[in-house]
Amino acid sequence: PGGGAASSAGASRPISILIRTLNEADRIEAAIRSALPIGGEIIVIDAGSSDDTAAIAERLGAKVIVNPWPGFGPQRYFGEEKCAHDLIFALDADEIVTPEFVRELHQVLDQADPPRLMQVRKAMIFPHHKKPPPLGFCTTQIYIYDRRIARTNSNPNWDKLDIASKEPVHLIKAPIWHFSYRDWNHVVQKANYVAQLAADTSPVRSRLGLLFRLVFEFPATFFKFYFLRRYFLAGADGFTMAMLSAFGRYLRIAKMLERADFNYTRNKTNSR
């Protein structure tokens, strides 16, 4: 399905752009269109969207494969298996590839022996904003990698690469733009989902340690995001985002403590 928009946008390159989706009809078109100039194939692993996500992606030339959601890590690992090329660019449906990023990536890929591990900088776009603030903070991780030496592990809470090589990592300096949240309600919903997922899947932690973190997690996280990650550059929205980020981390600890208390009570009852 589709036609060939992905393959006709510039020179074909041996790279697979891997995107996971679930009900991203309002954002997937912008993500795919921004990535088309890279060349290569676009693979969308959809977790069973009830909206037009899959239809939009196919119309733009992407190959869509449906796989029920098994967690963050397992879903990307599944997608890595479906890619035609060994070099993979893991892109999210809420991200925009900038023209500056495309130009820099092309320069790297055109080398005689391009690197097999590349770090990508992601500039967060705050709700109600169209671009990152000047001098805004960027997260940096390896998102372009050769699957022969790097694979996503099975942790359902986040994406973490297991890398079986000591070769150097190249940094793509031009950032991509990350529109992680639609609005404040989306921030709260996502914080609750991630907190519950961590509580359900992480090993049971020490109750004393969780009690300690319950007190300090919120202020420490707020300081980290508002000052060290420079959220203050986004004005009132930056302050709100730092507060909600701190709330999300606090909620995760609270839910993990709730689980630890439940296990403690159950074990005490069973020992009688």
Side-chain angles (χ1 to χ4, degrees):
S7 60
S8 63
S12 177
R13 296 175 185 272
I15 186 171
S16 295
I17 301 166
L18 177 60
I19 307 175
R20 296 167 304 189
T21 58
L22 177 62
N23 295 329
E24 296 284 358
D26 60 327
R27 306 194 286 188
I28 188 61
E29 180 166 356
I32 291 178
R33 286 195 181 280
S34 74
L36 287 176
I38 293 176
E41 68 166 358
I42 297 180
I43 299 292
V44 171
I45 306 299
D46 187 74
S49 295
S50 58
D51 61 13
D52 292 333
T53 297
I56 294 170
E58 289 179 335
R59 173 169 55 81
L60 293 170
K63 180 180 179 181
V64 177
I65 302 171
V66 176
N67 188 56
W69 181 252
F72 289 97
Q75 189 75 329
R76 184 193 284 180
Y77 187 94
F78 174 85
E80 291 165 354
E81 292 285 303
K82 303 301 180 181
C83 291
H85 304 296
D86 289 320
L87 189 63
I88 295 172
F89 176 20
L91 183 71
D92 286 342
D94 56 5
E95 294 171 345
I96 298 296
V97 179
T98 63
E100 294 79 11
F101 180 92
V102 174
R103 285 195 294 269
E104 187 173 349
L105 179 59
H106 281 177
Q107 291 173 358
V108 175
L109 294 178
D110 287 342
Q111 296 176 12
D113 186 22
R116 298 198 293 171
L117 298 172
M118 303 183 215
Q119 288 182 325
V120 175
R121 301 172 68 233
K122 292 187 178 183
M124 179 180 177
I125 314 297
F126 294 90
H128 318 124
H129 291 234
K130 295 183 178 180
K131 61 181 180 179
L135 303 177
F137 177 82
C138 293
T139 59
T140 304
Q141 290 188 39
I142 297 174
Y143 288 108
I144 302 177
Y145 52 94
D146 191 316
R147 66 182 173 187
R148 292 171 294 186
I149 61 171
R151 294 299 302 267
T152 305
N153 68 27
S154 60
N155 193 312
N157 293 308
W158 56 75
D159 308 315
K160 182 177 175 61
L161 285 175
D162 292 328
I163 302 174
S165 173
K166 299 293 185 182
E167 57 191 84
V169 179
H170 179 83
L171 172 65
I172 305 292
K173 296 179 180 178
I176 63 177
W177 290 5
H178 190 189
F179 293 83
S180 186
Y181 305 104
R182 296 175 174 91
D183 50 35
W184 299 130
N185 185 53
H186 188 205
V187 177
V188 174
Q189 289 178 336
K190 195 169 183 178
N192 185 56
Y193 170 78
V194 172
Q196 191 63 56
L197 183 64
D200 291 342
T201 60
S202 298
V204 178
R205 307 293 180 87
S206 162
R207 188 174 185 276
L208 183 60
L210 290 172
L211 284 170
F212 178 84
R213 292 182 64 182
L214 195 69
V215 176
F216 294 102
E217 195 78 14
F218 189 100
T221 303
F222 176 83
F223 180 85
K224 174 183 177 181
F225 281 79
Y226 191 65
F227 293 104
L228 301 184
R229 292 197 174 186
R230 303 189 292 277
Y231 280 18
F232 64 85
L233 295 172
D237 287 337
F239 180 83
T240 301
M241 192 67 233
M243 289 289 286
L244 291 177
S245 298
F247 164 74
R249 293 295 293 271
Y250 173 85
L251 188 62
R252 184 176 70 174
I253 301 303
K255 287 178 178 286
M256 293 174 73
L257 180 60
E258 181 180 51
R259 181 185 174 203
D261 285 341
F262 173 79
N263 287 341
Y264 173 79
T265 301
R266 182 182 59 184
N267 292 338
K268 189 174 181 180
T269 300
N270 292 339
S271 66
R272 289 176 181 173

